Amino acid sequence: MKRNTLLTNGFLICAFLAGIAIAGATPASVDIPLHGDVVHGKTLYQGCQACHSIDDNDLGPRHRGVVGRRAGSVEDYAYSKALKNSGLTWDEVTLDHWLINPSALVPGTKMFFKIDDAQARADIIAYLKELN
């Protein structure tokens, strides 16, 4: 009887731990892209305009057409060597990682501004997509 109880308890513990492992691997735990709000993104983009413009290079490069563009490829802008050689192409995922921490994605880049809020990043990216 004692052996059956130990086996049953052991089985239940293993099943519980397996359930936790499976739950941790389900899509619910994966970073799901947020739906960006273009209108709110346009409002938030005003903060980006301290360094960037939609159509003209400034302290940072112009942003019209940035989604789908190879990083460091606007010919009349002086990019850091690191960004020019990064091999990145700006898409939703790459832009999100960039806005989380540009220096972590491309060490040696000139950009230092970070956006911690995931929804704000999604909104700005949605706005940038509209500029293409």
Side-chain angles (χ1 to χ4, degrees), residues 40-41 44-45 47-48 63 95-102 111-125 128:
H40 190 237
L44 293 172
Y45 185 78
C48 304
H63 276 156
L95 283 166
D96 186 56
H97 287 109
W98 175 256
L99 293 173
I100 289 170
N101 188 346
M111 184 163 154
F112 58 88
F113 189 77
K114 301 177 191 180
I115 300 173
D116 293 328
D117 182 79
Q119 187 62 58
R121 291 191 310 270
D123 294 348
I124 292 168
I125 293 166
L128 291 173

Side-chain angles (χ1 to χ4, degrees), residues 47-62:
C48 304
Q49 289 178 315
C51 297
H52 292 276
S53 168
I54 294 169
D55 291 312
D56 298 310
N57 294 329
D58 199 341
L59 188 57
R62 64 181 171 265

Side-chain angles (χ1 to χ4, degrees), residues 8-110:
T8 302
N9 287 342
F11 177 77
L12 290 174
I13 290 169
C14 287
F16 176 75
L17 293 174
I20 290 172
I22 290 168
T26 61
S29 69
V30 175
D31 290 333
I32 297 170
L34 298 171
H35 176 72
D37 179 338
V38 174
V39 174
H40 190 237
K42 183 176 183 178
T43 300
L44 293 172
Y45 185 78
Q46 292 173 3
C48 304
Q49 289 178 315
C51 297
H52 292 276
S53 168
I54 294 169
D55 291 312
D56 298 310
N57 294 329
D58 199 341
L59 188 57
R62 64 181 171 265
H63 276 156
R64 186 173 306 278
V66 69
V67 179
R69 185 166 67 210
R70 193 173 47 41
S73 66
V74 173
E75 290 187 25
D76 57 344
Y77 181 76
Y79 291 96
S80 66
K81 188 174 181 179
L83 192 59
K84 277 186 179 180
N85 296 328
S86 69
L88 297 175
T89 298
W90 299 124
D91 60 19
E92 289 178 347
V93 173
T94 308
L95 283 166
D96 186 56
H97 287 109
W98 175 256
L99 293 173
I100 289 170
N101 188 346
S103 312
L105 184 63
V106 181
T109 189
K110 291 194 257 182

